[in-house]
Amino acid sequence: MTSSSSSTCGVAPWRRLTRRLSSLSPVGRGLLVCVTIALATTFIADHYGGPTLLYALLFGMSLHFLSEEGRCLPGIEFAARTVLRLGVALLGARMTLEQVGDLGLGPVLTVLAAVGLVICAGGLLARALGLQRDLGLLTGGAVAICGASAALALSAVMPKNETSERNTILTVVGVTTLSTVAMVTYPLLVGVLDLANTQAGIFLGGTIHDVAQVVGAGYIISDETGDVSTLVKLVRVAMLVPVVMVFSWLYRASRKDQGEGKRRVPMLPGFLVGFVALVLVNSLGLIPDSVNDGLSALSRWCLVTAIAALGIKTSFQKLAVVGWKPVILMVLETLLLLAIVLGVVVFGGLGS
């Protein structure tokens, strides 16, 4: 009697949980899966180290079977599209116009030139390697601006086809890996070249792909280097606005040709408007620090959830078909960015 009762008590909570999960809408089920992956990978990254976005991507890819049936698919699509755009919009809470002005004209012009050259070179290099121009522009934008976040933002305004999601995944994996390598090796290069703190900050902030890795590499050297590198990196993040606008206009006609109506192809994406609005509001000092921190954290959670959804929608088999050419492409783009920024810092005397 006692054994039966304890068994029933043990099973009852699981039955209640199962009924509650079954009552969720298809969007709720898929979204819950993506949020669960985000929680798990964030815990792993926080306690054992490593890039959270890459963990979320790989965890998601291991659950690819969920994208092949209908119960979770609507929620996965919602996370990969709507949650992604929300996360990009909330990135605007990280920066202010004053931060950009504090750097001076030299670093800003260097960032502008480097971003433009790397994106253009990405398109040309992709064609030279026999790859799609779209992949070259996407990887160039991710390398030049802010890594995985830029890849997700740019892919949101690019035309959707049978290779677009695969290209996004390849870009996220590539720039995240290269950014981690840069975080370890670039500070060593700073020591070899004997760069001053300000020079080192401009170099690190202008070349490393992801914000977190820039912060890590900068503060390894000194507090001054960390502060300068973070500001330079935020200028690169600010370039996301004009670049996404250019991409949106560039592909607008192409998206119409694919059957998307005029109302669904806005000249200025809504998430980009939200990004600019948050930068302006934050610049006016209208957002309290606690709220600002909350918005930045929410942005990060949205991006991790979105990348988990993209991972679920992608299979290892489809990635294996592409080969090594995209890897070579991103390495060349990274080396070009390194050469441009380092050349200006060392030979142009920037920051000395």
Side-chain angles (χ1 to χ4, degrees):
M1 184 71 177
T2 304
S3 175
S4 176
S5 299
S6 61
S7 176
T8 303
C9 291
V11 172
W14 289 107
R15 286 178 176 172
R16 288 197 296 269
L17 178 60
T18 302
R19 284 197 297 269
R20 288 177 182 175
L21 292 176
S22 299
S23 65
L24 288 174
S25 66
V27 171
R29 291 191 200 108
L31 187 58
L32 181 60
V33 171
C34 297
V35 170
T36 302
I37 294 173
L39 289 168
T41 53
T42 300
F43 177 85
I44 292 172
D46 288 346
H47 288 77
Y48 300 100
T52 307
L53 289 176
L54 186 57
Y55 288 158
L57 179 62
L58 296 175
F59 270 57
M61 292 174 71
S62 69
L63 298 175
H64 173 65
F65 67 91
L66 292 175
S67 67
E68 298 176 348
E69 50 88 25
R71 286 183 293 177
C72 294
L73 187 57
I76 294 169
E77 294 285 357
F78 178 82
R81 185 176 179 85
T82 305
V83 175
L84 163 62
R85 295 186 175 206
L86 176 62
V88 174
L90 292 174
L91 284 174
R94 292 186 180 185
M95 63 179 304
T96 66
L97 297 176
E98 182 182 0
Q99 290 172 328
V100 177
D102 288 343
L103 276 178
L105 190 59
V108 173
L109 291 178
T110 301
V111 168
L112 290 173
V115 169
L117 288 172
V118 171
I119 292 176
C120 293
L124 296 174
L125 288 170
R127 298 299 294 269
L129 291 169
L131 299 169
Q132 296 175 334
R133 186 193 64 165
D134 288 2
L135 177 59
L137 294 176
L138 180 63
T139 56
V143 167
I145 302 173
C146 55
S149 299
L152 296 174
L154 293 172
S155 67
V157 297
M158 296 177 76
K160 304 303 177 194
N161 52 49
E162 66 277 3
T163 61
S164 58
E165 290 178 353
R166 184 186 67 191
N167 289 345
T168 303
I169 294 298
L170 282 169
T171 303
V172 169
V173 172
V175 296
T176 303
T177 303
L178 289 170
S179 186
T180 303
V181 172
M183 181 183 67
V184 176
T185 58
Y186 285 9
L188 300 177
L189 186 57
V190 167
V192 171
L193 296 174
D194 195 24
L195 298 179
N197 284 332
T198 301
Q199 287 181 308
I202 295 172
F203 165 59
L204 296 175
T207 53
I208 299 178
H209 308 324
D210 286 318
V211 176
Q213 278 85 344
V214 169
V215 173
Y219 286 104
I220 284 175
I221 298 174
S222 70
D223 288 345
E224 182 183 352
T225 298
D227 292 342
V228 173
S229 64
T230 302
L231 287 177
V232 173
K233 183 60 185 177
L234 288 175
V235 174
R236 288 173 66 192
V237 174
M239 288 298 296
L240 190 62
V241 177
V243 172
V244 170
M245 288 177 62
V246 170
F247 272 52
S248 181
W249 293 333
L250 178 65
Y251 289 109
R252 192 164 183 260
S254 174
R255 293 179 67 187
K256 286 182 182 179
D257 292 341
Q258 292 182 3
E260 297 188 39
K262 185 175 181 181
R263 290 182 302 169
R264 296 179 61 189
V265 192
M267 288 292 290
L268 193 62
F271 70 89
L272 192 58
V273 174
F275 180 97
V276 174
L278 276 175
V279 171
L280 294 176
V281 172
N282 197 29
S283 299
L284 295 172
L286 300 178
I287 303 179
D289 290 341
S290 58
V291 175
N292 203 324
D293 292 341
L295 292 176
S296 296
L298 180 59
S299 170
R300 184 70 176 172
W301 278 107
C302 287
L303 293 178
V304 176
T305 301
I307 201 66
L310 288 172
I312 293 173
K313 295 175 66 177
T314 305
S315 67
F316 286 105
Q317 184 178 4
K318 290 180 180 178
L319 290 179
V321 173
V322 181
W324 285 97
K325 287 184 178 180
V327 178
I328 296 172
L329 173 63
M330 282 181 274
V331 170
L332 291 175
E333 291 166 346
T334 299
L335 292 176
L336 175 60
L337 180 64
L338 173 66
I340 293 171
V341 177
L342 192 58
V344 173
V345 169
V346 174
F347 299 108
L350 186 63
S352 60

